[in-house]
Amino acid sequence: MADSATKKMAAIGAKQDIEIEMATRPALRLWEGREKTQKRHGILGLPGFCKIVRGIEQSIKEDDPYADYHYHRLEQAIEDLTFDLDSELKDVKTFIKENIPPAMRLPDIGSKNPVVVPIRFASRLGFQLVYQLLKVDQIVLKVLLANHIGLLPNKEKFETLARVEKRVRGVIHMVFSYRHTGVTRDDMATNNQKAQKAKELMGDLEVGYLEGTTRSDNAPPLPMKRLQTMGKALDNDKGDKKVKLGRKKKVPDSEDALAAELDRVLKPVDEEMSRTTKKKTATA
């Protein structure tokens, strides 16, 4: 009965879209990006970033070591971005707090008509970047407040906003460094034409990425064939270690001779100490 009920259960999914609210134009620009025109080049937004990341994730499932490498590299870049934006937000909050008089009370600020957008992608890296986008929104609000109350000059305001926006765009545009070639780890091992093309486009890889042992914890699982290959290699390594551990280490002849010589020298001393101990015991 329980088995039949389990079979009828559908896959778990969200009943409605996750939504985020943005109050500032810089955050909205980072989300939307910009369409390419004849006069201006296009700028990748967050949904476009996530679409490319999904392609990288699919390539990981197909055993592309370059996809694993670039996914890991993106994750590390987002971690660095998180640290930088945390510092920016902390600095501007501290700056305002230290420079306003104790008698001044600042209101919370925000947009009277914030933009609400749904998140319709399923990418862990995408969500990690969304958190940083919302942090940018907070930074911009604090910078605008500091400028409004005369603490931050216009020049520093624009420099801060440009620096933060540029920092996030640098991470978003990192997805363009990956090029899909359809290469697999087996191709890399045989160094066939696909492997050579991939190396020309993206360079050489470290052994850990080629073997599948160095990768992001958030990356999709490797294909079953690769996991089986890795499992067999691990079993072989364990077998070799067992053989090595099972061999009894032979003591060199020189060590045997040294031990025998020490026994010969120490034997009279031990006998003398034993006789002295017996005499003292008898006298007592």
Side-chain angles (χ1 to χ4, degrees):
M1 191 74 177
D3 291 340
S4 61
T6 303
K7 290 178 181 178
K8 294 179 181 178
M9 291 180 69
I12 295 175
K15 294 183 178 180
Q16 60 187 40
D17 291 331
I18 298 172
E19 295 179 336
I20 60 172
E21 183 179 290
M22 289 174 285
T24 66
R25 292 184 183 280
L28 185 59
R29 281 198 302 268
L30 288 170
W31 171 266
E32 291 182 336
R34 188 175 69 194
E35 290 289 337
K36 182 179 179 181
T37 65
Q38 292 182 347
K39 296 182 179 180
R40 298 190 303 182
H41 65 274
I43 298 177
L44 190 67
L46 200 51
F49 167 88
C50 292
K51 183 178 180 181
I52 297 175
V53 168
R54 290 293 291 169
I56 296 175
E57 291 173 343
Q58 181 58 41
S59 295
I60 290 174
K61 295 176 183 178
E62 295 168 359
D63 207 24
D64 181 347
Y66 284 96
D68 246 334
Y69 166 72
H70 282 87
Y71 189 95
H72 197 192
R73 190 164 164 259
L74 280 169
E75 183 183 59
Q76 292 170 335
I78 294 174
E79 289 176 1
D80 292 340
L81 176 66
T82 302
F83 177 82
D84 291 346
L85 295 184
D86 283 343
S87 298
E88 289 277 4
L89 184 57
K90 181 180 178 182
D91 288 347
V92 69
K93 284 182 176 179
T94 303
F95 175 73
I96 294 172
K97 184 177 180 180
E98 291 178 348
N99 286 279
I100 61 169
M104 180 181 284
R105 290 174 177 80
L106 298 176
D108 291 333
I109 62 170
S111 173
K112 294 180 180 179
N113 188 26
V115 175
V116 178
V117 296
I119 297 179
R120 292 174 179 155
F121 52 74
S123 167
R124 292 180 182 179
L125 291 189
F127 276 106
Q128 289 177 9
L129 208 48
V130 165
Y131 305 144
Q132 304 319 308
L133 179 67
L134 296 177
K135 198 176 298 174
V136 168
D137 212 33
Q138 296 177 51
I139 293 170
V140 174
L141 287 173
K142 294 297 182 184
V143 168
L144 294 178
L145 173 62
N147 176 255
H148 177 70
I149 61 177
L151 293 180
L152 197 66
N154 287 335
K155 181 182 178 182
E156 290 186 32
K157 177 188 78 171
F158 290 123
E159 287 177 350
T160 303
L161 297 181
R163 179 175 66 250
V164 169
E165 194 168 341
K166 182 179 179 181
R167 183 72 179 81
V168 178
R169 288 205 186 283
V171 175
I172 292 176
H173 288 175
M174 281 180 64
V175 291
F176 292 127
S177 61
Y178 171 74
R179 306 284 295 278
H180 181 264
T181 60
V183 72
T184 66
R185 286 181 170 86
D186 289 338
D187 294 325
M188 298 298 290
T190 57
N191 195 30
N192 60 20
Q193 191 172 357
K194 276 188 179 180
Q196 292 173 21
K197 180 184 177 182
K199 289 178 184 178
E200 289 176 7
L201 290 172
M202 293 175 284
D204 293 322
L205 281 178
E206 296 177 10
V207 174
Y209 293 106
L210 291 173
E211 294 179 345
T213 55
T214 302
R215 57 200 311 268
S216 163
D217 289 336
N218 288 315
L222 295 174
M224 185 57 65
K225 180 182 177 182
R226 176 57 48 194
L227 293 174
Q228 290 172 346
T229 301
M230 292 171 67
K232 290 177 181 177
L234 185 61
D235 289 341
N236 290 336
D237 289 343
K238 288 181 179 179
D240 292 342
K241 288 179 181 178
K242 286 179 181 179
V243 171
K244 292 177 182 178
L245 290 172
R247 293 173 185 168
K248 187 175 180 181
K249 185 179 178 181
K250 183 180 179 181
V251 179
D253 294 340
S254 58
E255 292 185 16
D256 288 340
L258 178 60
E261 181 63 18
L262 286 173
D263 288 341
R264 185 184 67 77
V265 173
L266 293 175
K267 185 176 180 181
V269 178
D270 289 340
E271 290 176 349
E272 181 62 28
M273 289 181 66
S274 179
R275 285 196 295 269
T276 303
T277 301
K278 287 180 181 179
K279 287 181 180 178
K280 287 182 179 180
T281 303
T283 304

Coordinates of all heavy atoms in Angstrom, one line a residue, residues 145-217:
L145 N 22.2 57.9 1.1 CA 21.9 58.5 2.4 C 23.0 59.4 2.8 O 22.8 60.6 3.2 CB 21.5 57.5 3.4 CG 21.3 58.0 4.8 CD1 20.1 59.0 4.9 CD2 21.1 56.9 5.8
A146 N 24.2 58.9 2.8 CA 25.4 59.6 3.2 C 25.6 60.8 2.4 O 26.0 61.9 2.8 CB 26.7 58.7 3.2
N147 N 25.3 60.7 1.1 CA 25.4 61.9 0.2 C 24.3 62.9 0.4 O 24.6 64.1 0.5 CB 25.4 61.4 -1.3 CG 25.4 62.5 -2.3 OD1 24.3 62.8 -2.9 ND2 26.5 63.1 -2.5
H148 N 23.1 62.4 0.7 CA 22.0 63.3 1.0 C 22.2 64.2 2.2 O 21.8 65.3 2.2 CB 20.7 62.4 1.1 CG 19.5 63.2 1.4 ND1 18.9 64.1 0.5 CD2 18.7 63.3 2.5 CE1 17.8 64.6 1.0 NE2 17.7 64.2 2.3
I149 N 22.8 63.6 3.2 CA 22.9 64.4 4.5 C 24.3 65.1 4.5 O 24.7 65.6 5.6 CB 22.7 63.5 5.7 CG1 23.8 62.3 5.7 CG2 21.3 62.9 5.8 CD1 23.7 61.5 7.0
G150 N 25.0 65.1 3.4 CA 26.2 65.9 3.3 C 27.5 65.3 3.8 O 28.5 66.0 4.0
L151 N 27.5 64.0 4.1 CA 28.7 63.4 4.6 C 29.6 62.9 3.5 O 30.8 62.8 3.6 CB 28.3 62.2 5.5 CG 27.6 62.4 6.8 CD1 27.3 61.1 7.5 CD2 28.4 63.3 7.7
L152 N 29.0 62.6 2.3 CA 29.8 62.0 1.2 C 29.7 62.9 0.0 O 28.6 63.1 -0.5 CB 29.2 60.6 0.9 CG 30.1 59.7 0.0 CD1 31.4 59.3 0.8 CD2 29.4 58.4 -0.3
P153 N 30.8 63.5 -0.5 CA 30.7 64.3 -1.7 C 30.3 63.5 -2.9 O 30.3 62.3 -3.0 CB 32.2 64.8 -1.9 CG 32.8 64.6 -0.6 CD 32.1 63.4 0.0
N154 N 29.8 64.2 -3.9 CA 29.3 63.6 -5.2 C 30.3 62.7 -5.8 O 30.0 61.6 -6.3 CB 28.8 64.7 -6.2 CG 27.5 65.3 -5.7 OD1 26.7 64.7 -5.0 ND2 27.2 66.5 -6.2
K155 N 31.6 63.2 -5.9 CA 32.6 62.5 -6.5 C 32.8 61.1 -5.9 O 32.9 60.1 -6.5 CB 33.9 63.3 -6.5 CG 35.1 62.6 -7.2 CD 36.4 63.4 -7.1 CE 37.6 62.6 -7.7 NZ 38.8 63.4 -7.6
E156 N 32.9 61.1 -4.5 CA 33.1 59.8 -3.8 C 31.8 58.9 -4.0 O 32.0 57.7 -4.0 CB 33.4 60.1 -2.3 CG 34.7 60.7 -2.1 CD 35.0 60.8 -0.6 OE1 34.6 60.0 0.2 OE2 35.7 61.8 -0.2
K157 N 30.7 59.5 -4.0 CA 29.4 58.8 -4.2 C 29.5 58.0 -5.6 O 29.3 56.8 -5.6 CB 28.2 59.7 -4.2 CG 26.9 59.0 -4.5 CD 25.7 59.9 -4.7 CE 25.8 60.5 -6.1 NZ 24.5 61.3 -6.4
F158 N 29.8 58.7 -6.6 CA 29.9 58.1 -8.0 C 31.0 57.1 -8.1 O 30.8 56.0 -8.7 CB 30.0 59.2 -9.1 CG 28.8 60.0 -9.2 CD1 28.8 61.4 -9.1 CD2 27.6 59.4 -9.5 CE1 27.7 62.2 -9.3 CE2 26.4 60.2 -9.7 CZ 26.5 61.6 -9.6
E159 N 32.1 57.4 -7.4 CA 33.3 56.4 -7.5 C 32.9 55.1 -6.7 O 33.2 54.0 -7.2 CB 34.5 57.1 -6.8 CG 35.2 58.1 -7.7 CD 36.4 58.8 -6.9 OE1 36.5 58.5 -5.7 OE2 37.1 59.5 -7.6
T160 N 32.2 55.2 -5.6 CA 31.8 54.1 -4.8 C 30.8 53.2 -5.6 O 30.9 52.0 -5.7 CB 31.2 54.5 -3.5 OG1 32.1 55.2 -2.8 CG2 30.8 53.2 -2.7
L161 N 29.8 53.9 -6.2 CA 28.8 53.2 -6.9 C 29.4 52.5 -8.2 O 29.0 51.3 -8.5 CB 27.7 54.1 -7.4 CG 26.9 54.8 -6.2 CD1 25.8 55.7 -6.8 CD2 26.3 53.7 -5.3
A162 N 30.3 53.2 -8.8 CA 30.9 52.6 -10.0 C 31.8 51.4 -9.7 O 31.8 50.4 -10.4 CB 31.8 53.7 -10.8
R163 N 32.5 51.5 -8.5 CA 33.4 50.4 -8.1 C 32.6 49.2 -7.8 O 33.0 48.1 -8.2 CB 34.2 50.9 -6.9 CG 35.1 49.8 -6.3 CD 36.0 50.3 -5.2 NE 35.2 50.7 -4.0 CZ 35.1 52.0 -3.6 NH1 35.6 53.0 -4.3 NH2 34.4 52.2 -2.5
V164 N 31.5 49.4 -7.0 CA 30.7 48.2 -6.7 C 30.1 47.5 -7.9 O 30.1 46.3 -8.0 CB 29.6 48.7 -5.7 CG1 28.6 47.5 -5.4 CG2 30.2 49.1 -4.3
E165 N 29.5 48.4 -8.8 CA 28.9 47.8 -10.0 C 29.9 47.1 -10.9 O 29.6 46.0 -11.4 CB 28.2 48.9 -10.7 CG 27.2 48.4 -11.8 CD 26.3 49.5 -12.4 OE1 26.2 50.6 -11.7 OE2 25.8 49.3 -13.5
K166 N 31.0 47.7 -11.0 CA 32.1 47.1 -11.8 C 32.5 45.7 -11.2 O 32.8 44.8 -12.0 CB 33.3 48.0 -12.0 CG 34.4 47.5 -12.9 CD 35.5 48.5 -13.0 CE 36.6 48.0 -13.8 NZ 37.8 49.0 -13.9
R167 N 32.6 45.7 -9.9 CA 33.1 44.5 -9.2 C 32.1 43.3 -9.5 O 32.5 42.2 -9.8 CB 33.2 44.8 -7.7 CG 33.7 43.6 -6.9 CD 35.2 43.4 -7.1 NE 35.7 42.3 -6.3 CZ 35.5 41.0 -6.6 NH1 35.0 40.7 -7.7 NH2 36.0 40.1 -5.8
V168 N 30.8 43.6 -9.4 CA 29.8 42.5 -9.7 C 29.8 42.1 -11.1 O 29.8 40.9 -11.4 CB 28.4 43.0 -9.2 CG1 27.4 41.9 -9.5 CG2 28.4 43.4 -7.8
R169 N 29.9 43.1 -12.0 CA 29.9 42.8 -13.5 C 31.1 41.9 -13.8 O 31.0 41.0 -14.7 CB 29.9 44.1 -14.3 CG 28.6 44.8 -14.3 CD 28.4 45.7 -15.5 NE 27.2 46.5 -15.4 CZ 26.0 46.1 -15.5 NH1 25.8 44.8 -15.8 NH2 25.0 46.9 -15.4
G170 N 32.2 42.1 -13.2 CA 33.4 41.3 -13.4 C 33.2 39.9 -13.2 O 33.6 39.0 -13.9
V171 N 32.4 39.6 -12.1 CA 32.1 38.2 -11.8 C 31.1 37.6 -12.8 O 31.2 36.5 -13.3 CB 31.5 38.1 -10.4 CG1 31.1 36.6 -10.1 CG2 32.6 38.5 -9.3
I172 N 30.1 38.4 -13.1 CA 29.0 37.9 -14.1 C 29.7 37.6 -15.4 O 29.3 36.6 -16.0 CB 27.9 39.0 -14.2 CG1 27.1 39.2 -13.0 CG2 27.0 38.7 -15.4 CD1 26.1 40.3 -13.0
H173 N 30.6 38.4 -15.9 CA 31.2 38.2 -17.2 C 32.2 37.1 -17.2 O 32.7 36.7 -18.3 CB 31.8 39.5 -17.7 CG 30.8 40.5 -18.1 ND1 31.1 41.8 -18.5 CD2 29.4 40.5 -18.2 CE1 30.0 42.5 -18.8 NE2 28.9 41.7 -18.6
M174 N 32.5 36.5 -16.1 CA 33.5 35.4 -16.0 C 32.9 34.2 -16.8 O 33.7 33.3 -17.2 CB 33.8 35.0 -14.6 CG 34.8 36.0 -14.0 SD 35.2 35.5 -12.3 CE 36.0 33.8 -12.5
V175 N 31.6 34.1 -16.9 CA 31.0 32.9 -17.6 C 31.5 32.8 -19.0 O 31.5 31.7 -19.6 CB 29.5 32.9 -17.5 CG1 29.0 32.7 -16.1 CG2 28.9 34.2 -18.1
F176 N 31.9 33.9 -19.6 CA 32.3 33.9 -21.0 C 33.7 33.2 -21.2 O 34.1 33.0 -22.4 CB 32.4 35.3 -21.6 CG 31.0 36.0 -21.7 CD1 30.8 37.2 -21.1 CD2 30.0 35.4 -22.4 CE1 29.5 37.8 -21.2 CE2 28.7 36.0 -22.5 CZ 28.5 37.2 -21.9
S177 N 34.4 33.0 -20.1 CA 35.7 32.3 -20.3 C 35.6 30.9 -20.6 O 36.5 30.2 -21.0 CB 36.5 32.6 -19.0 OG 35.9 32.0 -17.9
Y178 N 34.4 30.3 -20.3 CA 34.1 28.9 -20.6 C 33.6 28.8 -22.0 O 32.7 29.5 -22.5 CB 33.1 28.3 -19.7 CG 32.7 26.9 -20.1 CD1 33.5 25.8 -20.0 CD2 31.4 26.7 -20.7 CE1 33.1 24.5 -20.4 CE2 31.0 25.4 -21.1 CZ 31.9 24.3 -20.9 OH 31.5 23.1 -21.3
R179 N 34.1 27.8 -22.8 CA 33.7 27.6 -24.2 C 33.3 26.1 -24.3 O 34.1 25.2 -24.0 CB 34.8 27.9 -25.2 CG 35.4 29.3 -25.0 CD 34.4 30.4 -25.6 NE 34.3 30.2 -27.0 CZ 35.1 30.6 -27.9 NH1 36.2 31.3 -27.6 NH2 34.9 30.5 -29.2
H180 N 32.1 25.9 -24.7 CA 31.6 24.5 -24.9 C 32.3 23.8 -26.1 O 32.2 24.3 -27.2 CB 30.1 24.4 -25.0 CG 29.5 23.1 -25.1 ND1 29.3 22.5 -26.3 CD2 29.2 22.1 -24.2 CE1 28.8 21.2 -26.1 NE2 28.8 21.0 -24.8
T181 N 32.9 22.7 -25.8 CA 33.6 21.9 -26.9 C 33.1 20.5 -27.0 O 33.4 19.8 -27.9 CB 35.1 21.9 -26.7 OG1 35.4 21.3 -25.4 CG2 35.7 23.3 -26.7
G182 N 32.3 20.1 -26.0 CA 31.9 18.7 -25.9 C 33.0 17.7 -25.5 O 32.8 16.5 -25.7
V183 N 34.1 18.2 -25.0 CA 35.2 17.3 -24.6 C 34.8 16.6 -23.3 O 34.0 17.1 -22.5 CB 36.5 18.2 -24.4 CG1 36.4 19.1 -23.1 CG2 37.7 17.3 -24.3
T184 N 35.4 15.4 -23.1 CA 35.2 14.6 -21.9 C 36.6 14.3 -21.3 O 37.6 14.5 -21.9 CB 34.4 13.3 -22.1 OG1 35.2 12.5 -23.0 CG2 33.1 13.6 -22.8
R185 N 36.5 13.7 -20.1 CA 37.8 13.3 -19.5 C 38.5 12.2 -20.2 O 39.7 12.1 -20.2 CB 37.5 12.9 -18.0 CG 37.3 14.2 -17.1 CD 37.0 13.8 -15.6 NE 37.0 15.0 -14.8 CZ 35.9 15.7 -14.6 NH1 34.8 15.4 -15.1 NH2 36.0 16.8 -13.8
D186 N 37.7 11.3 -20.9 CA 38.2 10.3 -21.7 C 39.0 10.9 -22.9 O 40.0 10.4 -23.3 CB 37.2 9.3 -22.2 CG 36.6 8.5 -21.1 OD1 37.4 8.3 -20.0 OD2 35.5 7.9 -21.2
D187 N 38.4 12.0 -23.5 CA 39.0 12.7 -24.6 C 40.4 13.2 -24.2 O 41.4 13.2 -24.9 CB 38.1 13.8 -25.1 CG 36.9 13.3 -25.8 OD1 36.9 12.2 -26.4 OD2 35.8 13.9 -25.6
M188 N 40.4 13.8 -22.9 CA 41.6 14.4 -22.4 C 42.7 13.4 -22.2 O 43.9 13.6 -22.4 CB 41.3 15.2 -21.1 CG 40.3 16.4 -21.3 SD 40.9 17.7 -22.4 CE 42.3 18.4 -21.5
A189 N 42.2 12.2 -21.7 CA 43.2 11.1 -21.5 C 43.9 10.6 -22.7 O 45.1 10.3 -22.8 CB 42.5 10.0 -20.8
T190 N 43.1 10.6 -23.8 CA 43.7 10.1 -25.1 C 44.3 11.3 -26.0 O 44.9 11.0 -27.0 CB 42.6 9.4 -26.0 OG1 41.5 10.3 -26.2 CG2 42.1 8.2 -25.2
N191 N 44.0 12.5 -25.5 CA 44.5 13.7 -26.2 C 44.1 13.7 -27.7 O 44.9 14.0 -28.6 CB 46.0 13.8 -26.1 CG 46.5 15.2 -26.4 OD1 45.9 16.2 -26.2 ND2 47.7 15.2 -27.0
N192 N 42.8 13.4 -27.9 CA 42.3 13.4 -29.3 C 42.0 14.8 -29.8 O 42.4 15.8 -29.1 CB 41.0 12.5 -29.4 CG 39.9 13.0 -28.5 OD1 39.9 14.2 -28.1 ND2 39.0 12.2 -28.2
Q193 N 41.4 14.9 -30.9 CA 41.1 16.2 -31.6 C 40.3 17.2 -30.7 O 40.6 18.4 -30.6 CB 40.5 16.0 -32.9 CG 40.5 17.3 -33.8 CD 40.0 17.0 -35.2 OE1 39.7 15.9 -35.5 NE2 39.9 18.0 -36.0
K194 N 39.3 16.6 -30.0 CA 38.4 17.4 -29.2 C 39.3 18.0 -28.0 O 39.1 19.2 -27.6 CB 37.3 16.6 -28.6 CG 36.1 16.5 -29.5 CD 34.9 15.8 -28.7 CE 33.7 15.7 -29.6 NZ 32.6 15.0 -28.9
A195 N 40.1 17.2 -27.4 CA 41.0 17.6 -26.3 C 41.9 18.7 -26.8 O 42.1 19.7 -26.1 CB 41.7 16.4 -25.8
Q196 N 42.5 18.5 -27.9 CA 43.4 19.5 -28.4 C 42.7 20.9 -28.7 O 43.3 21.9 -28.4 CB 44.1 19.0 -29.7 CG 45.0 17.8 -29.5 CD 45.6 17.2 -30.7 OE1 45.6 17.9 -31.8 NE2 46.0 16.0 -30.7
K197 N 41.5 20.8 -29.2 CA 40.7 22.0 -29.5 C 40.4 22.7 -28.1 O 40.5 24.0 -28.0 CB 39.4 21.7 -30.2 CG 38.6 22.9 -30.5 CD 37.3 22.5 -31.2 CE 36.4 23.8 -31.4 NZ 35.1 23.4 -32.0
A198 N 40.0 21.9 -27.1 CA 39.7 22.5 -25.8 C 40.9 23.2 -25.2 O 40.8 24.3 -24.6 CB 39.2 21.4 -24.9
K199 N 42.1 22.6 -25.3 CA 43.3 23.1 -24.8 C 43.7 24.5 -25.5 O 44.1 25.4 -24.9 CB 44.5 22.1 -24.9 CG 44.4 20.9 -24.0 CD 45.5 20.0 -24.3 CE 45.4 18.7 -23.4 NZ 46.5 17.8 -23.7
E200 N 43.4 24.5 -26.8 CA 43.7 25.7 -27.6 C 42.8 26.9 -27.1 O 43.2 28.0 -27.0 CB 43.5 25.5 -29.0 CG 44.5 24.6 -29.7 CD 44.2 24.4 -31.2 OE1 43.3 25.0 -31.7 OE2 44.9 23.5 -31.8
L201 N 41.5 26.5 -26.8 CA 40.6 27.6 -26.4 C 40.7 28.0 -24.9 O 40.6 29.2 -24.6 CB 39.2 27.1 -26.6 CG 38.7 26.9 -28.0 CD1 37.3 26.3 -28.1 CD2 38.6 28.3 -28.7
M202 N 41.0 27.0 -24.0 CA 41.0 27.3 -22.6 C 42.2 26.9 -21.8 O 42.3 27.0 -20.6 CB 39.8 26.6 -22.0 CG 38.4 27.2 -22.5 SD 37.0 26.2 -21.9 CE 37.0 24.8 -22.9
G203 N 43.3 26.4 -22.5 CA 44.5 26.1 -21.8 C 44.5 24.7 -21.2 O 43.6 24.0 -21.3
D204 N 45.6 24.4 -20.5 CA 45.8 23.2 -19.8 C 45.0 23.2 -18.4 O 44.8 24.3 -17.9 CB 47.2 22.8 -19.6 CG 48.0 22.6 -20.9 OD1 47.4 22.0 -21.8 OD2 49.1 23.0 -21.0
L205 N 44.8 22.0 -17.9 CA 44.1 21.9 -16.6 C 44.9 21.2 -15.6 O 45.8 20.3 -16.0 CB 42.8 21.1 -16.8 CG 41.6 21.8 -17.4 CD1 40.4 20.8 -17.5 CD2 41.1 22.9 -16.5
E206 N 44.7 21.5 -14.3 CA 45.4 20.7 -13.3 C 44.9 19.3 -13.2 O 43.8 19.0 -13.6 CB 45.1 21.4 -11.9 CG 45.7 22.8 -11.8 CD 45.3 23.5 -10.5 OE1 44.8 22.8 -9.6 OE2 45.5 24.7 -10.4
V207 N 45.7 18.4 -12.7 CA 45.4 17.0 -12.6 C 44.1 16.7 -11.9 O 43.3 15.9 -12.3 CB 46.6 16.2 -12.0 CG1 46.2 14.8 -11.8 CG2 47.9 16.4 -12.8
G208 N 43.9 17.5 -10.8 CA 42.7 17.3 -10.0 C 41.4 17.4 -10.8 O 40.5 16.7 -10.6
Y209 N 41.4 18.4 -11.7 CA 40.2 18.6 -12.5 C 40.1 17.5 -13.6 O 39.0 17.1 -13.9 CB 40.2 20.0 -13.1 CG 40.1 21.1 -12.1 CD1 41.2 21.9 -11.8 CD2 38.8 21.4 -11.5 CE1 41.0 22.9 -10.9 CE2 38.7 22.4 -10.6 CZ 39.8 23.2 -10.3 OH 39.7 24.2 -9.4
L210 N 41.2 17.1 -14.1 CA 41.2 16.0 -15.1 C 40.7 14.7 -14.5 O 40.0 13.9 -15.2 CB 42.6 15.9 -15.7 CG 43.1 17.0 -16.6 CD1 44.6 16.8 -16.9 CD2 42.2 17.2 -17.8
E211 N 41.1 14.5 -13.2 CA 40.7 13.2 -12.6 C 39.3 13.3 -12.0 O 38.7 12.3 -11.6 CB 41.7 12.8 -11.5 CG 43.1 12.5 -12.1 CD 44.1 12.2 -11.1 OE1 43.8 12.5 -9.9 OE2 45.2 11.6 -11.4
G212 N 38.8 14.5 -11.8 CA 37.5 14.7 -11.1 C 37.6 14.7 -9.6 O 36.5 14.6 -9.0
T213 N 38.8 14.9 -9.1 CA 38.9 14.9 -7.6 C 38.9 16.3 -7.0 O 38.6 16.5 -5.9 CB 40.2 14.2 -7.2 OG1 41.3 14.8 -7.9 CG2 40.2 12.7 -7.5
T214 N 39.2 17.3 -7.9 CA 39.1 18.7 -7.5 C 37.9 19.3 -8.1 O 37.8 19.4 -9.3 CB 40.4 19.5 -7.9 OG1 41.5 18.9 -7.3 CG2 40.3 20.9 -7.4
R215 N 36.9 19.7 -7.3 CA 35.7 20.3 -7.9 C 34.9 21.0 -6.8 O 35.2 20.8 -5.6 CB 34.8 19.2 -8.6 CG 34.4 18.1 -7.8 CD 34.0 16.9 -8.7 NE 33.1 17.3 -9.7 CZ 31.8 17.2 -9.6 NH1 31.2 16.8 -8.5 NH2 31.0 17.6 -10.6
S216 N 33.9 21.8 -7.2 CA 33.1 22.5 -6.2 C 32.1 21.5 -5.5 O 31.6 20.6 -6.1 CB 32.3 23.6 -7.0 OG 31.2 24.0 -6.2
D217 N 31.8 21.8 -4.2 CA 30.8 21.0 -3.5 C 29.4 21.3 -4.1 O 28.5 20.4 -3.9 CB 30.8 21.4 -2.0 CG 32.1 20.9 -1.3 OD1 32.7 19.9 -1.8 OD2 32.5 21.4 -0.3

